[in-house]
Amino acid sequence: MRRYVRGAAVVVAAVSGALLLACGGDDGDPIGSDPTRIEVTVRADGAAEPGVTVRLFNAGGSTPLTQGMTMSNGQVTFDDLDAGTYDVEVEVPSDMEMATGEARRPVPVAAGQTATVTFQLESVLPPGTEQVGLTGSLTFSPASLTIPVGTTVRWRNEQAIFHTVTPDGHSEWTRATVSNVGDTFEHTFNTAGTFPYFCEPHQNQGMTGTITVQ
Ligand SMILES: [Cu+2]
């Protein structure tokens, strides 16, 4: 009796060893373990937006499975997921709103596939305010802006690149710097005229603009 039990134990161990060997015999990845992931892109005012919190839920769930923050390319990736449908939600910053679509959306992902979803945000501008973006491609966007007297212009840095908003030959405002993504500089134009300006580090790359006040 004791010998039989011992024998059985030896057999089990031998079978386990065979299974381990079999599993380790190929590249080590069981079939079907390719990454299953959701790649989320957040854009604001048409440019990649870093620093936005994104949460992942089971479909219809109220407690996030996990969350992440968009990087400088505006992306965050949730990987090692099970196939299925998830809800992806962006936390809209207080000075922004959804440009299109909902802040929370169902995203289906198949096994071994990468599902992608893009959220488009836009700045909420106070009345009487126009915005000029300082873009990652070293431009003011728009470069030329025509506004009525009394309008406030808000320059907003769209990427983590140091820029300046420097008056070119006038003193309508004092040179300003916008160092980081999301940094803004505002000036209210109460005098009609044409006001050229430039970015000091990127003037030679054509980073210039003009505000025309009528
Ligand atoms: Cu610049």
Side-chain angles (χ1 to χ4, degrees):
M1 191 62 168
R2 291 185 68 164
R3 280 177 72 176
Y4 178 78
V5 170
R6 263 202 311 271
V10 168
V11 169
V12 168
V15 169
S16 297
L19 288 171
L20 287 170
L21 286 172
C23 288
D26 58 6
D27 63 2
D29 271 347
I31 292 166
S33 75
D34 290 336
T36 302
R37 58 188 166 214
I38 296 176
E39 187 179 270
V40 182
T41 301
V42 178
R43 297 174 66 81
D45 300 324
E49 182 73 2
V52 177
T53 298
V54 182
R55 298 189 179 89
L56 184 76
F57 300 81
N58 283 318
S62 55
T63 305
L65 298 169
T66 184
Q67 68 178 48
M69 190 169 281
T70 57
M71 299 178 296
S72 60
N73 61 0
Q75 293 187 339
V76 60
T77 300
F78 301 110
D79 49 20
D80 293 328
L81 301 176
D82 293 326
T85 297
Y86 297 83
D87 285 350
V88 178
E89 181 182 60
V90 292
E91 184 178 300
V92 180
S94 58
D95 59 346
M96 294 197 168
E97 62 187 10
M98 297 303 298
T100 59
E102 301 296 321
R104 177 167 170 155
R105 291 178 211 165
V107 179
V109 58
Q113 302 294 306
T114 299
T116 59
V117 56
T118 298
F119 293 87
Q120 304 274 3
L121 311 182
E122 62 188 9
S123 294
V124 177
L125 296 174
T129 303
E130 298 280 346
Q131 183 160 293
V132 175
L134 287 74
T135 74
S137 48
L138 310 181
T139 58
F140 294 105
S141 178
S144 294
L145 183 63
T146 299
I147 54 173
V149 171
T151 302
T152 298
V153 174
R154 177 160 89 178
W155 284 269
R156 181 177 186 275
N157 197 347
E158 294 178 351
Q159 263 193 13
I161 299 173
F162 177 90
H163 300 289
T164 73
V165 182
T166 304
D168 187 358
H170 61 86
S171 54
E172 171 65 21
W173 68 87
T174 304
R175 170 189 183 274
T177 59
V178 279
S179 305
N180 290 308
V181 64
D183 282 2
T184 59
F185 162 64
E186 290 188 357
H187 177 72
T188 301
F189 291 82
N190 291 314
T191 308
T194 299
F195 304 101
Y197 63 97
F198 61 95
C199 168
E200 291 164 27
H202 306 123
Q203 182 182 17
N204 291 340
Q205 283 110 305
M207 191 165 181
T208 62
T210 303
I211 306 294
T212 302
V213 184
Q214 297 178 332

